[in-house]
């Protein structure tokens, strides 16, 4: 009888008190998206951010919009400092607020969104507004396009030695050229002609090629500053503002 009762007791399921509640997902065990994944939410965030910044500069004064960007930039700097120096804050911030927009390499490094805000702020502070607007549009729309095309179709063509796809570069060049033409014709009210054509081609090349540069710095900082610097040179050769 004792043996029977022992076997029966061993077959009983554990009590509810013995079952531990599942822990919240930890940063170290989270499956983070990598650069080779589509990550559509991040790309949408990228595009919406650029459109929002450019719209603010169109609707409000330059001083007011720059002040807003400075405030946002300081906020993200503080958040990144806290996130990278306090593991518990990193886990809370990464999982509950920005986790859906982050990539694997940003878990313990500066997040790309800070470079995004800094690049936009520097652009609109240093360069003329039309040039800054175009370069931020290249960042917000051209960069995600290059990434998406590279992920979807990059396997059909050789890649650069640093991993990016020439097909993505071509797609970004085409889109940036179209964005430039639309902005020149509708934003600056320029007539369709040689100026629009030349500046659109130059803008497309600058937007696409700046995304492909293997400089080792975050694209969110490289694309707007390099493309804006190039457009400033184009402006001296073919005035459009």
């Amino acid at each position: 009888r004792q043996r029977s009762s022992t076997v029966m007791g061993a077959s009983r399921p554990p009590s509810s008190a013995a079952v531990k509640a599942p822990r919240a997902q930890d940063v170290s065990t989270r499956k983070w998206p990598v650069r080779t994944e589509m990550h559509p939410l991040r790309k949408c965030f990228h595009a919406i951010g650029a459109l929002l910044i450019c719209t603010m500069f169109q609707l409000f004064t330059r001083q007011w919009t720059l002040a807003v960007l400075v405030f946002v930039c300081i906020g993200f700097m503080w958040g990144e400092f806290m996130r990278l120096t306090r593991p518990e804050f990193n886990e809370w911030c990464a999982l509950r607020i920005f986790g859906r927009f982050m990539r694997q390499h940003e878990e313990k490094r500066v997040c790309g969104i800070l470079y995004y805000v800094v690049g936009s702020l520097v652009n609109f502070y240093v360069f003329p507004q039309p040039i800054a607007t175009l370069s931020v549009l290249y960042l917000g729309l051209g960069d995600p396009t290059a990434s998406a095309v590279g992920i979807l179709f990059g396997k059909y063509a050789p890649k650069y030695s640093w991993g990016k796809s020439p097909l993505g570069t071509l797609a970004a060049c085409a889109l940036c050229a179209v964005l430039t033409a639309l902005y020149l014709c509708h934003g600056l009210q320029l007539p369709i002609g040689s100026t629009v054509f030349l500046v659109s081609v130059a803008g497309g090349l600058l937007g696409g090629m700046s995304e492909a540069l293997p400089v080792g710095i975050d694209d969110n900082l490289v694309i707007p500053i390099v493309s804006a610097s190039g457009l400033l040179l184009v402006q001296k050769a073919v005035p459009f503002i």
Side-chain angles (χ1 to χ4, degrees):
R1 292 182 179 177
Q2 289 181 352
R3 183 177 180 182
S4 175
S5 62
T6 302
V7 173
M8 292 178 63
S11 63
R12 293 177 183 175
S15 62
S16 58
V19 178
K20 295 182 179 180
R23 291 184 60 186
Q25 189 180 25
D26 184 69
V27 173
S28 60
T29 60
R30 178 185 175 92
K31 185 182 183 299
W32 299 88
V34 295
R35 292 182 183 274
T36 55
E37 295 182 36
M38 184 61 71
H39 207 172
L41 193 61
R42 182 184 177 101
K43 288 176 172 55
C44 290
F45 183 79
H46 218 72
I48 292 172
L51 293 173
L52 179 61
I53 292 172
C54 293
T55 301
M56 288 172 59
F57 273 96
Q58 296 296 322
L59 297 179
F60 306 105
T61 63
R62 180 175 182 271
Q63 291 77 8
W64 186 89
T65 310
L66 283 174
V68 171
L69 282 181
V70 169
F71 178 79
V72 172
C73 187
I74 293 174
F76 275 111
M77 286 181 175
W78 175 84
E80 287 296 279
F81 173 78
M82 292 292 293
R83 189 176 70 84
L84 298 177
T85 56
R86 297 180 178 270
E88 66 279 5
F89 185 86
N90 185 25
E91 181 175 342
W92 176 81
C93 181
L95 289 178
R96 291 177 172 79
I97 300 180
F98 297 111
R100 295 183 179 182
F101 304 104
M102 295 176 65
R103 286 175 174 166
Q104 187 177 40
H105 69 279
E106 295 171 334
E107 177 186 345
K108 296 181 180 179
R109 292 173 56 185
V110 175
C111 186
I113 190 173
L114 179 58
Y115 293 107
Y116 190 103
V117 177
V118 171
S120 301
L121 175 61
V122 170
N123 253 29
F124 277 101
Y125 181 77
V126 173
F127 298 100
Q129 184 167 321
I131 291 178
T133 299
L134 283 172
S135 59
V136 170
L137 289 176
Y138 298 164
L139 169 64
L141 300 176
D143 185 28
T145 299
S147 174
V149 171
I151 292 171
L152 292 174
F153 305 105
K155 58 185 177 182
Y156 300 111
K159 292 187 177 182
Y160 301 123
S161 59
W162 52 94
K164 292 191 176 182
S165 170
L167 294 180
T169 301
L170 289 175
C173 288
L175 179 61
C176 291
V178 172
L179 289 172
T180 306
L182 290 175
Y183 182 73
L184 294 179
C185 293
H186 297 282
L188 300 183
Q189 301 295 316
L190 294 181
I192 297 176
S194 58
T195 298
V196 171
F197 176 77
L198 292 173
V199 176
S200 298
V201 171
L205 292 174
L206 286 168
M209 297 305 294
S210 61
E211 184 275 336
L213 290 175
V215 294
I217 305 174
D218 196 285
D219 287 348
N220 295 310
L221 196 58
V222 172
I223 294 173
I225 293 177
V226 170
S227 59
S229 301
L231 284 174
L232 195 61
L233 295 176
V234 173
Q235 159 66 18
K236 295 183 181 299
V238 187
F240 61 93
I241 58 176

